Amino acid sequence: MQKLLLLGAEAIAQGAIDGGMSGVYAYPGTPSTEITEYVQDPELARQRNIRSQWSANEKTAMEAALGMSYSGKRAMVCMKHVGLNVAADAFMNSAITGINGGLLITVADDPSMHSSQNEQDSRYYGKFAQIPILEPSNQQEAYDMAYFGFRLSEELEVPVMLRITTRLSHSRTGIVRKEEQPQNELTLPKDLKQFILLPSLARKRYKKLVEARPKFEESSAQSAYNRFFDGPDKSLGIIACGIAYNYLMEHYPNGCDYPVMKICQYPMPRNKIKEFEEKVDELLVLEEGYPMIEELLAGYFRKGKSVHGRLDGTLPRIGELNPDIVGEALGFEVPEEEEVPEIVAPRPPSLCVGCGHRDAYSALNVALKEYGDGHVFADIGCYTLGALPPYEAINSCVDMGASITMAKGAADAGLHPSVAVIGDSTFTHSGMTGLLDAVAENTPITIIISDNLTTAMTGGQPSEAENRLENICEGIGVDPEHIRVVVPHHKNHDLMVEMMKEEFEYKGVSVIIPRRECIQTLARKKRNKVAGKRV
Amino acid sequence: MKKDIIISGVGGQGILSISAIIGMAALEAGLNIKQSEVHGMSQRGGDVQANLRISSDTIYSDLISHKSADLILSVEPMEALRYIPFLSPDGWIVTNITPYKNIPDYPDEEALFAELKKHKNHVLVDADRIAKECGTARAGNIVMLGAAAPFLDIPYDMLEFGIKKIFGCKGEDIVNINLKAFKAGMEVSEQVLAGK
Ligand SMILES: Cc1ncc(C[n+]2csc(CCOP(=O)(O)OP(=O)(O)O)c2C)c(N)n1
């Protein structure tokens, strides 16, 4: 069969499509974005009539997917690791409701923080929710897991987490497809109370979840993704999880000298791990992310056989793995590291020339001059680059939506002016509820919603805020006289400075919306127009 | 056959299309490939790179190890140097010579080229000029792809197939200009190799 050249993320999308998925819900976030983008490819979407939406945030996406599962159809929700924090309430409880149609929760972690605030390991969430986790070691396995994942979810009657990391998601390779499965028919759950988590019912459901544990382990034990490979040298046994298996095998293309246990489905099959442990003198755990399995096997007092990994210093405690790091841990001679020539200057990312965020920051810096530094709570998006020179205009970036609420808390503490800078998509993701908090107490803060009419940071997905911002702010209760829209442009610099100064002195909630289309999406629309394509 | 290639440049310079063409050609030639790209944050005018691995055997790691790349193919001269730690002692640097100056402290060009020339195996390509001569300044990428071709061990026909596939939808003229640019780039490297 002809191989398709796909990114890991795209392989998951193709696997889910071929596996009979009826809908995908997501909020963009690197490195998960390409999954949903692939499903939204116009040609494919037309052919298969699969629902796909960029939801307001990860929680709404998770819930929509759960609703589709309730209705008997196969659904997937995709997010980056920190998105799962946002979706956590729905996520944790979905383990207790269980599913009707197969439900895949695809979470993309970003160890080494290539484009994230942290490197949290989503496997802990899977363990926390007590559901099975699939962690592919390569892109073909990612395809297969998405393809079979719905069936696994239906067999085990719980949502299944599909956990990937940056390198798996953003690496392209040839993928072999499987036969297309039909989508499920609309069918309600047999028990119409299954999804009602009233305490009396929730207790029963939770008991069912906990009691299903041996079944989950049995599934892992039988799983084709978890495999034992014997090796002649029993002085060490290697447990290699997910993509770490590849970094191991890079050093042993013809088979490893040591016995290897490849783990790509969790919970780990306890009996198999025990058998494995008995065969070898010591253990080395290779896992991409936190030392979750290592900690489990080593135990608090480290009383059993020696377990090596990130905790005992065999591997670095933080950051992603790579073939060099794994090779060193295995005692391979690593070539002496050559330095990057001194002449090479850093080239950090920066706001595009012509970007409206630039004009907003130029004005903000001038408007705030007389008040001194330290007044600006920003948020997550392209405009976070305002932290870097030449602007150095912001003082915080914590989690999506935190700009408005942190500005509120600081204003409550007496900071004046207290300014929030947030993007349009981030505002509808999780800024609106914070705005309500501020409106409820008429807190003196100024919120700058720097509106570029798109979700730019992640590549220009549509923003649900489009054409709605003023109405939303007014509806939440901001005084219309203090909702001010301006075109962020060099020629409006003085106007913007004046506007900001006026609103800083207003003793209530004010919103300034500098609005100009992202120059990247504008350029893309122009190109597509020339090429005669639909936008 | 096994080739580890690092493709580098600045966000927006289109290194991914070079990588895509080589990937398609390798797949067409029945080889295994892994092509690891950088998305997200680093695209905003920052440095970007792709790891491209091609082999007749199974490829495990998506990432290239230190000191093992056979080729650094760069569309920007300073960016070629950023990945020196990955270059194997016998590896080649094939780079465009036009600097992309979007930072205030861009190094002195003479010193930059002196640094590049310290590496015994290098091909410096005036890709922007060659592309213009072929009919469009936009084909600089494809000139560089051509310059890399003699180091790839992928048959010419397969690379031509990749180019036709990528540019096919834009019409025959565009395909021909790019094929011309590809050949012109290839000649530059062939001359350097002949002089070795
Ligand atoms: C919870 C969470 N979800 C997703 C992301 C990824 N992410 C970071 S910024 C951003 C988009 C921001 O869009 P917008 O606020 O409109 O700003 P722009 O980039 O367009 O300037 C996204 C999706 C994240 N960091 N955290």
Side-chain angles (χ1 to χ4, degrees):
Chain A
M1 196 175 186
Q2 174 77 29
K3 281 187 182 175
L4 278 180
L5 188 56
L6 297 178
L7 288 175
E10 296 169 339
I12 289 173
Q14 187 68 56
I17 290 170
D18 295 342
M21 174 174 75
S22 297
V24 60
Y25 298 88
Y27 184 75
T30 316
S32 72
T33 312
E34 292 80 5
I35 304 170
T36 307
E37 280 184 335
Y38 186 87
V39 184
Q40 292 189 337
D41 176 271
E43 199 48 48
L44 218 77
R46 253 202 309 278
Q47 279 173 15
R48 312 204 186 228
N49 195 25
I50 293 174
R51 291 291 314 185
S52 64
Q53 184 179 16
W54 289 120
S55 308
N57 63 39
E58 292 84 354
K59 178 174 180 284
T60 66
M62 172 77 223
E63 291 154 352
L66 187 62
M68 185 168 267
S69 163
Y70 169 94
S71 312
K73 298 203 176 181
R74 295 177 166 179
M76 179 157 75
V77 51
C78 310
M79 62 195 80
K80 69 182 291 169
H81 58 343
V82 287
L84 189 50
N85 299 332
V86 177
D89 198 4
F91 169 75
M92 290 299 297
N93 291 315
S94 72
I96 301 178
T97 61
I99 53 98
N100 186 20
L103 178 58
L104 271 183
I105 298 157
T106 301
V107 191
D109 291 358
D110 189 18
S112 280
M113 307 179 219
H114 297 280
S115 36
S116 309
Q117 318 96 287
N118 74 26
E119 60 171 22
Q120 67 186 58
D121 184 334
S122 298
R123 293 178 305 164
Y124 281 88
Y125 264 116
K127 188 175 148 106
F128 191 18
Q130 304 175 58
I131 59 170
I133 308 169
L134 299 171
E135 186 189 14
S137 68
N138 61 41
Q139 289 76 10
Q140 182 66 51
E141 227 168 41
Y143 172 92
D144 296 349
M145 285 176 172
Y147 183 87
F148 289 118
F150 295 115
R151 200 185 298 167
L152 184 69
S153 164
E154 285 164 9
E155 274 167 21
L156 300 177
E157 301 177 78
V158 283
V160 169
M161 175 188 280
L162 178 54
R163 184 247 188 181
I164 56 171
T165 52
T166 306
R167 299 301 180 179
L168 187 119
S169 179
H170 285 172
S171 181
R172 215 179 276 280
T173 190
I175 299 293
V176 183
R177 283 178 62 187
K178 297 189 192 313
E179 203 183 319
E180 269 178 56
Q181 297 296 314
Q183 295 182 25
N184 289 354
E185 299 291 330
L186 177 73
T187 17
L188 291 177
K190 278 193 217 84
D191 171 9
L192 284 175
K193 296 204 167 89
Q194 181 191 331
F195 286 78
I196 306 175
L197 296 185
L198 267 173
S200 56
L201 299 170
R203 275 181 220 117
K204 287 194 196 112
R205 295 285 326 167
Y206 182 58
K207 187 154 178 275
K208 182 173 152 72
L209 174 69
V210 171
E211 284 172 356
R213 173 83 185 192
K215 203 165 67 172
F216 298 171
E217 278 194 32
E218 186 50 29
S219 169
S220 290
Q222 301 302 327
S223 170
Y225 308 123
N226 291 341
R227 286 185 64 187
F228 170 70
F229 302 90
D230 208 357
D233 186 347
K234 313 283 193 246
S235 64
L236 186 71
I238 303 173
I239 295 182
C241 306
I243 202 170
Y245 176 73
N246 282 346
Y247 298 139
L248 170 67
M249 294 313 288
E250 180 71 17
H251 297 281
Y252 300 102
N254 302 314
C256 187
D257 296 347
Y258 308 107
V260 175
M261 188 78 207
K262 168 177 174 282
I263 294 289
C264 293
Q265 181 175 334
Y266 308 81
M268 285 201 305
R270 183 184 290 260
N271 50 357
K272 294 229 161 156
I273 297 290
K274 200 154 176 292
E275 267 169 42
F276 184 73
E277 191 250 11
E278 279 161 9
K279 280 194 182 74
V280 298
D281 298 342
E282 298 186 357
L283 289 168
L284 169 66
V285 182
L286 303 174
E287 50 193 327
E288 187 72 302
Y290 292 2
M292 182 171 109
I293 300 306
E294 181 191 353
E295 193 171 30
L296 185 73
L297 297 180
Y300 197 80
F301 295 109
R302 292 193 170 267
K303 279 195 167 156
K305 286 182 183 167
S306 295
V307 179
H308 306 288
R310 289 181 182 271
L311 284 173
D312 79 334
T314 305
L315 292 159
R317 175 66 182 78
I318 59 177
E320 66 179 344
L321 299 175
N322 63 39
D324 292 312
I325 290 173
V326 170
E328 204 175 337
L330 288 161
F332 283 94
E333 207 178 310
V334 181
E336 207 181 307
E337 194 154 330
E338 190 156 343
E339 298 289 316
V340 176
E342 226 169 273
I343 194 167
V344 177
R347 201 189 299 260
S350 59
L351 288 167
C352 305
V353 176
C355 167
H357 295 322
R358 283 183 176 244
D359 298 286
Y361 280 129
S362 298
L364 182 62
N365 277 348
V366 175
L368 277 173
K369 201 153 205 153
E370 62 187 276
Y371 301 99
D373 292 337
H375 292 265
V376 184
F377 302 91
D379 228 298
I380 308 192
C382 284
Y383 50 93
T384 315
L385 295 170
L388 307 177
Y391 300 104
E392 298 180 271
I394 65 171
N395 307 105
S396 75
C397 158
V398 181
D399 64 272
M400 290 186 77
S403 58
I404 297 178
T405 28
M406 282 181 72
K408 165 153 186 17
D412 287 350
L415 184 73
H416 173 82
S418 191
V419 182
V421 177
I422 188 169
D424 49 311
S425 181
T426 302
F427 178 72
T428 43
H429 177 284
S430 49
M432 299 191 293
T433 43
L435 177 60
L436 183 59
D437 282 348
V439 165
E441 297 198 328
N442 200 28
T443 312
I445 59 172
T446 302
I447 298 157
I448 297 171
I449 307 179
S450 195
D451 183 7
N452 55 7
L453 302 165
T454 189
T455 316
M457 183 86 248
T458 43
Q461 296 74 27
S463 162
E464 288 194 338
E466 198 170 338
N467 298 323
R468 299 193 177 100
L469 277 184
E470 292 92 312
N471 284 344
I472 291 172
C473 294
E474 206 179 321
I476 287 174
V478 182
D479 179 349
E481 278 187 25
H482 294 279
I483 302 174
R484 305 180 67 176
V485 182
V486 61
V487 178
H489 201 283
H490 186 64
K491 64 174 195 268
N492 288 341
H493 177 80
D494 294 345
L495 178 77
M496 275 196 287
V497 172
E498 270 323 296
M499 194 183 273
M500 288 174 183
K501 283 184 172 171
E502 281 167 28
E503 297 305 336
F504 294 162
E505 288 310 318
Y506 170 59
K507 297 280 175 277
V509 181
S510 55
V511 175
I512 298 173
I513 307 175
R515 174 176 295 138
R516 183 154 64 78
E517 184 167 16
C518 164
I519 61 148
Q520 297 291 351
T521 48
L522 188 69
R524 184 166 355 124
K525 279 184 194 163
K526 276 189 188 150
R527 276 199 304 274
N528 287 347
K529 210 166 171 186
V530 171
K533 273 200 256 173
R534 285 186 331 131
V535 180
Chain B
M1 175 276 178
K2 176 173 164 295
K3 289 280 169 199
D4 284 344
I5 305 160
I6 289 180
I7 306 177
S8 61
V10 180
Q13 281 193 311
I15 65 159
L16 294 186
S17 59
I18 302 183
S19 179
I21 293 172
I22 303 179
M24 247 179 253
L27 209 63
E28 187 67 16
L31 296 164
N32 295 309
I33 78 147
K34 281 211 167 183
Q35 177 197 329
S36 174
E37 315 170 345
V38 173
H39 295 217
M41 199 74 179
S42 22
Q43 288 178 317
R44 306 271 171 278
D47 52 275
V48 289
Q49 53 94 9
N51 279 201
L52 182 59
R53 311 193 68 197
I54 305 172
S55 176
S56 43
D57 295 322
T58 305
I59 304 168
Y60 286 101
S61 170
D62 297 85
L63 299 176
I64 295 172
S65 302
H66 280 115
K67 287 204 173 158
S68 68
D70 302 289
L71 174 68
I72 292 176
L73 170 58
S74 186
V75 291
E76 206 279 346
M78 184 178 80
E79 293 309 321
L81 290 172
R82 198 181 297 283
Y83 303 98
I84 289 297
F86 290 93
L87 190 64
S88 101
D90 298 320
W92 281 81
I93 300 175
V94 176
T95 181
N96 184 11
I97 60 167
T98 311
Y100 188 99
K101 298 184 179 175
N102 64 345
I103 47 170
D105 49 351
Y106 195 92
D108 174 63
E109 281 180 44
E110 216 168 292
L112 186 67
F113 288 109
E115 183 70 40
L116 276 165
K117 286 175 185 162
K118 275 191 200 163
H119 296 269
K120 62 176 178 177
N121 296 331
H122 63 263
V123 183
L124 304 181
V125 188
D126 193 351
D128 295 44
R129 179 182 57 79
I130 297 172
K132 260 184 228 138
E133 285 167 11
C134 292
T136 169
R138 291 230 293 256
N141 272 343
I142 304 304
V143 174
M144 291 313 301
L145 173 64
F151 304 98
L152 294 178
D153 278 357
I154 296 177
Y156 173 83
D157 293 355
M158 303 294 164
L159 289 162
E160 192 180 278
F161 166 86
I163 292 171
K164 284 182 177 161
K165 195 143 183 190
I166 289 265
F167 294 105
C169 62
K170 296 185 176 163
E172 205 171 326
D173 285 352
I174 302 282
V175 171
N176 287 334
I177 289 174
N178 279 288
L179 286 175
K180 200 167 146 192
F182 178 79
K183 282 178 200 147
M186 198 158 75
E187 272 165 30
V188 177
S189 288
E190 277 168 351
Q191 270 168 20
V192 172
L193 282 169
K196 272 261 161 182

